[in-house]
Amino acid sequence: MSGFFDIPSDLQHSWLGLVGLHLREALLPVLAGLVVSLPLAQLCVRLRWLYPPVLWVTTVLYAIPSLAFFVLLIDYTGQTELTVMIPLTVYSLVVLVPAIVDGVRSVPPETLAAATAMGFGPVRRYFQVQLPIAVPAVIAGLRVATVSSISLVSVGALIGNQGALGNLINDANIYNRPELAVNAVLSMAVLAILADALLVAVRLLLTPWMPRAGRRRPAADVPDPATAALEDAVR
Amino acid sequence: MFGVLIRIDSVTKRYPDGTVAVDRLSLEIPDRSITVLVGPSGCGKTTTLRMINRMVEPTEGTILLDGQDILQQPVNTLRRSMGYVIQNAGLFQHRTILDNIATVPRLLGWGKDRARGRARELMERVGLDAALAKRYPYQLSGGQQQRVGVARALAADPPVLLMDEPFSAVDPVVRKGLQDELLRIQAELGKTIVFVTHDIDEAVKLGTMVAVLRTGGRLAQYAPPAELLSAPADAFVEDFLGADRGIRRLSFFPATGLALLTTPIVAVDATAEQIAARATGEAPYLLVTDLDGRPLGWSEPHELTAGSIDPGRLLSHGRPFVPGTDSLRAALDCAVLSPTGWAVAVGADGRATGVVSQQTIAEAIRGAHAAVPTDAPAPHSLAKGGPADAKVAG
Ligand SMILES: Nc1ncnc2c1ncn2[C@@H]1O[C@H](COP(=O)(O)OP(=O)(O)O)[C@@H](O)[C@H]1O
Ligand SMILES: [Mg+2]
């Protein structure tokens, strides 16, 4: 009788190994998404006309099923982690770009005017004023992107066991061990909750300047990421 | 007076959408004084101010700073030599009060410690408690934030201070405090301040020179406040000054020359003989003071019983004026507020030095007006550094 944490050998990893793999496949795309989103969002802030088409493109890309991406990519990147991570990076843009644009735009005009009047150039102004003030919005975006990425990694199971914890769901079928599927779902949910908590902690650390009393509902229109993750994982 | 520091020479600003915000404006802004730009909303005040630090580029005309075209220096060097204060302070919400104030010194390359040391100095100068240094802007009241804004603008000791309606978002009591503080700081530091407001009272109180702008960005009048009040250039300026400009103009005449009566004053412990001796009929009332000579209130002589004067039953004496520092406006105000129609003069220590009737004040006003015909400027020496009233608070 195999235990809850005994992973079939075809996956070539221990449970902890799968967790590490899962985190890498989920978080690197979010990081890459952030690196792409920051300049893209700044461009959208500077050139207002650019924002609607960019939003439109990110939404359309998000609507493409990951399977279609895999088919497209597999000729170039093969059955690798990269094939999983590229679509995840693209998906994260749909959350991150608007989050950063809203964050940067939330800087009060008089703060910007004051910065300009004090002799901040555009670059310095961006890094020292706009970006720090956008941190809460950026992190709110990162929370959603991270938890959704954690649940989406599982689709990698479709291309030769590149789904990390998601592969367990496949194996649950193959070996008729339903506890492996439960393990996958629970592990992903726990990872999502922990990653989310970590991001909240980072937010608190980076924004001692935020009124603590008004923190209850920081971004009313962003769904609670942890709940979203659970829903995704169960789906 | 001082030299000209900023010369605005037939400057026009036409925005891309065709709005002419400023129309051939010429102004000579004197060194080390407060020049106020005042006018209705949308008349081009902010645009004018922002052309001085090149946040807005003029369409036509030139602006000279110290004789040099402002286009000749690098824009950020120019801006760092001019403090800028705006409505709602525009503080950096993500930085502590100390770091907000240290911003420009840091931009100028000062070390962190030196910049913060300077910031601490400035907190004291603008009347901020040192305990606020480590707080964030959201933890401060509007008035405190505005003080931080002023401190931040002063941090690198710039010769010029540009202020755009800095006090219009705070309540009147706090605003008065901030205005008095600005006059004090100006007197201490001798900055050249260009101050924008839509409030004519603020303009008259703060301005050494006041430029009244009319809609469309044209200059309606440029004059010291006393002259503005006594000789408005046209109906627009007169209208803008409001109905009581005659009364407000009295701010520019000192109350020093008023003939005070000293007889009708008795102490609260006065004897019957003293009361009788003081009730000479010069005034229909006697002013009762406490044992230190501070005014308590008025009474008709026959209502006073020696040895049992009840301060609670005296008539109010209004707010006394100080002849050396207050204006005729303060004296008149005091007389008008007093139910007896008499004003009480006190020394700097608060002790009554004399009393004066509305009639006497009215004569003094007529005398002052006769010395300065209403359609000519009031004596300039009185206006320098703001109205006599304003100086008291400093
Ligand atoms: N960036 C701009 N583009 C077009 N019009 C502007 C701009 N800024 C100001 N204006 C217009 O210029 C006029 C003067 O504006 P402003 O200088 O802000 O006036 P004030 O500060 O006296 O209220 C107004 O009619 C305003 O609408
Ligand atoms: Mg304005």
Side-chain angles (χ1 to χ4, degrees):
Chain A
M1 185 71 212
S2 346
F4 191 70
F5 290 104
D6 288 336
I7 308 300
S9 60
D10 65 329
L11 297 186
Q12 299 175 336
H13 278 289
S14 65
W15 179 79
L16 271 181
L18 283 180
V19 165
L21 195 64
H22 199 97
L23 281 178
R24 193 170 71 207
E25 282 186 51
L27 299 186
L28 281 182
V30 175
L31 204 66
L34 184 65
V35 169
V36 174
S37 305
L38 280 173
L40 195 59
Q42 187 56 16
L43 219 57
C44 291
V45 170
R46 301 220 89 177
L47 310 172
R48 289 184 153 266
W49 59 267
L50 195 62
Y51 188 40
V54 164
L55 265 188
W56 186 80
V57 169
T58 57
T59 311
V60 167
L61 288 175
Y62 188 69
I64 299 175
S66 40
L67 197 60
F69 265 110
F70 295 157
V71 169
L72 215 72
L73 286 170
I74 215 148
D75 285 346
Y76 305 95
T77 49
Q79 296 191 357
T80 60
E81 283 175 30
L82 201 59
T83 310
V84 180
M85 293 198 290
I86 289 173
L88 292 189
T89 302
V90 171
Y91 291 156
S92 73
L93 299 184
V94 80
V95 181
L96 292 178
V97 170
I100 299 170
V101 169
D102 289 351
V104 170
R105 279 193 187 159
S106 74
V107 179
E110 60 263 27
T111 305
L112 284 184
T116 307
M118 281 188 291
F120 279 80
V123 176
R124 208 195 281 261
R125 199 177 75 165
Y126 176 68
F127 283 105
Q128 293 188 9
V129 181
Q130 291 173 297
L131 204 52
I133 293 176
V135 158
V138 175
I139 293 197
L142 280 178
R143 289 173 63 187
V144 178
T146 302
V147 294
S148 91
S149 191
I150 287 176
S151 73
L152 283 173
V153 164
S154 355
V155 299
L158 293 173
I159 51 162
N161 282 348
Q162 292 301 339
L165 288 169
N167 300 337
L168 290 176
I169 300 174
N170 247 351
D171 278 16
N173 275 331
I174 298 170
Y175 302 106
N176 194 19
R177 283 179 57 196
E179 80 273 11
L180 288 182
V182 175
N183 182 329
V185 170
L186 285 182
S187 302
M188 282 189 273
V190 169
L191 285 187
I193 288 166
L194 288 181
D196 191 51
L198 193 74
L199 282 169
V200 171
V202 169
R203 217 275 316 279
L204 290 178
L205 217 68
L206 287 181
T207 59
W209 47 269
M210 273 182 80
R212 289 298 180 230
R215 222 184 49 208
R216 284 255 171 86
R217 296 222 58 97
D221 47 348
V222 180
D224 184 5
T227 332
L230 279 171
E231 283 167 3
D232 278 354
V234 171
R235 218 179 270 147
Chain B
M1 180 131 274
F2 307 100
V4 175
L5 188 70
I6 302 169
R7 188 184 303 271
I8 299 177
D9 199 3
S10 53
V11 160
T12 296
K13 175 63 193 184
R14 199 176 297 111
Y15 282 108
D17 65 357
T19 313
V20 177
V22 177
D23 191 10
R24 280 161 299 158
L25 177 71
S26 291
L27 276 185
E28 291 186 348
I29 294 170
D31 199 3
R32 305 164 74 77
S33 57
I34 302 181
T35 300
V36 179
L37 307 179
V38 67
S41 172
C43 71
K45 306 179 295 290
T46 298
T47 302
T48 304
L49 197 72
R50 289 185 170 194
M51 285 195 287
I52 297 175
N53 72 355
R54 291 181 58 189
M55 288 171 76
V56 172
E57 301 284 345
T59 317
E60 283 159 34
T62 49
I63 299 176
L64 304 180
L65 173 67
D66 233 350
Q68 222 199 15
D69 193 328
I70 55 166
L71 296 175
Q72 280 175 4
Q73 28 177 334
V75 65
N76 285 335
T77 313
L78 178 83
R79 288 179 184 159
R80 286 168 202 169
S81 74
M82 297 181 173
Y84 189 74
V85 188
I86 47 181
Q87 191 179 335
N88 294 323
L91 297 183
F92 295 145
Q93 61 194 86
H94 60 299
R95 291 191 178 169
T96 60
I97 300 311
L98 205 62
D99 286 342
N100 261 283
I101 301 174
T103 303
V104 180
R106 293 287 286 149
L107 284 177
L108 290 171
W110 295 25
K112 202 162 204 154
D113 289 341
R114 182 166 163 233
R116 287 192 171 161
R118 171 75 182 151
R120 273 181 221 285
E121 253 173 69
L122 278 155
M123 286 186 71
E124 193 179 325
R125 169 146 339 257
V126 301
L128 281 169
D129 188 344
L132 300 177
K134 288 266 149 43
R135 299 250 182 106
Y136 287 96
Y138 81 91
Q139 294 165 309
L140 268 57
S141 71
Q144 287 171 326
Q145 291 191 15
Q146 215 48 258
R147 281 172 201 266
V148 176
V150 173
R152 184 174 67 172
L154 287 169
D157 205 16
V160 176
L161 219 53
L162 307 176
M163 309 182 81
D164 193 351
E165 310 214 7
F167 308 147
S168 47
V170 294
D171 65 72
V173 177
V174 175
R175 188 183 314 147
K176 182 176 181 308
L178 289 167
Q179 290 167 345
D180 293 339
E181 198 92 354
L182 183 70
L183 286 170
R184 185 180 60 72
I185 290 170
Q186 158 65 9
E188 284 171 20
L189 302 180
K191 299 290 178 197
T192 302
I193 300 178
V194 188
F195 190 103
V196 163
T197 180
H198 59 257
D199 173 359
I200 186 66
D201 286 317
E202 188 168 64
V204 166
K205 175 172 178 180
L206 297 178
T208 316
M209 290 293 285
V210 177
V212 184
L213 299 180
R214 69 172 89 233
T215 314
R218 274 166 303 138
L219 184 64
Q221 187 169 10
Y222 187 41
E227 182 181 330
L228 207 63
L229 289 167
S230 62
D234 57 21
F236 170 80
V237 179
E238 186 162 4
D239 216 39
F240 192 70
L241 288 169
D244 55 350
R245 74 176 167 91
I247 302 283
R248 275 192 270 136
R249 187 176 170 234
L250 295 178
S251 303
F252 295 92
F253 299 108
T256 328
L258 285 175
L260 302 178
L261 298 184
T262 49
T263 326
I265 302 180
V266 291
V268 73
D269 63 346
T271 61
E273 293 73 45
Q274 283 169 325
I275 293 174
R278 293 286 174 165
T280 55
E282 269 183 287
Y285 299 89
L286 289 179
L287 178 72
V288 179
T289 67
D290 66 13
L291 297 179
D292 284 333
R294 288 184 177 71
L296 292 172
W298 293 97
S299 174
E300 287 189 66
H302 65 84
E303 305 227 318
L304 293 175
T305 320
S308 63
I309 297 177
D310 175 9
R313 298 196 50 210
L314 299 172
L315 296 170
S316 145
H317 59 73
R319 187 164 157 259
F321 69 101
V322 184
T325 48
D326 278 340
S327 66
L328 281 182
R329 184 181 179 178
L332 181 65
D333 195 54
C334 176
V336 171
L337 284 181
S338 160
T340 63
W342 285 68
V344 178
V346 294
D349 57 1
R351 293 175 199 219
T353 55
V355 298
V356 57
S357 68
Q358 270 177 17
Q359 282 77 6
T360 310
I361 297 172
E363 277 159 30
I365 292 170
R366 278 195 293 277
H369 282 188
V372 188
T374 35
D375 41 10
H380 201 225
S381 60
L382 291 177
K384 200 154 105 190
D389 276 351
K391 282 192 206 134
V392 182

